[in-house]
Amino acid sequence: MTIRDDLIQAVEAAIAGDWEGAHAIVQRHEGDVTACWLHACLHKLEPDESNSRYWYRRSTHSYEEYADGRTELVAIKAALTY
């Protein structure tokens, strides 16, 4: 399984409400910028703003880019499935 496949699985888990499962997957890929974006979004949904902002700094996105975390999850999945 590729990182991309793993991250798609994590997004699907998050959409289904499995925050812990999604979080466990993204933690395995902390060096990947898309994983950092997803990690940031998960903490936004938690909500844990300071932790979320930390992960956004490691990605190419910002906390303010999406007002709604669920909409952001859809955007992350779209970016992974381009």
Side-chain angles (χ1 to χ4, degrees):
M1 184 176 284
T2 66
I3 291 175
R4 190 174 130 274
D5 293 334
D6 246 10
L7 296 179
I8 291 168
Q9 183 181 7
V11 170
E12 290 171 350
I15 289 170
D18 181 8
W19 187 92
E20 288 184 18
H23 195 246
I25 294 168
V26 298
Q27 285 181 311
R28 294 195 302 255
H29 303 293
E30 292 180 350
D32 180 87
V33 294
T34 305
C36 290
W37 180 23
L38 178 51
H39 203 158
C41 181
L42 291 174
H43 283 292
K44 181 190 279 186
L45 290 165
E46 187 176 11
D48 180 351
E49 184 177 341
S50 64
N51 205 353
S52 179
R53 287 185 181 277
Y54 167 81
W55 288 104
Y56 278 110
R57 286 191 298 274
R58 296 188 61 185
S59 78
T60 57
H61 298 271
S62 71
Y63 187 87
E64 294 76 19
E65 189 172 345
Y66 292 88
D68 177 66
R70 300 256 174 224
T71 301
E72 189 169 3
L73 286 173
V74 172
I76 294 168
K77 186 172 181 181
L80 288 165
T81 57
Y82 55 92

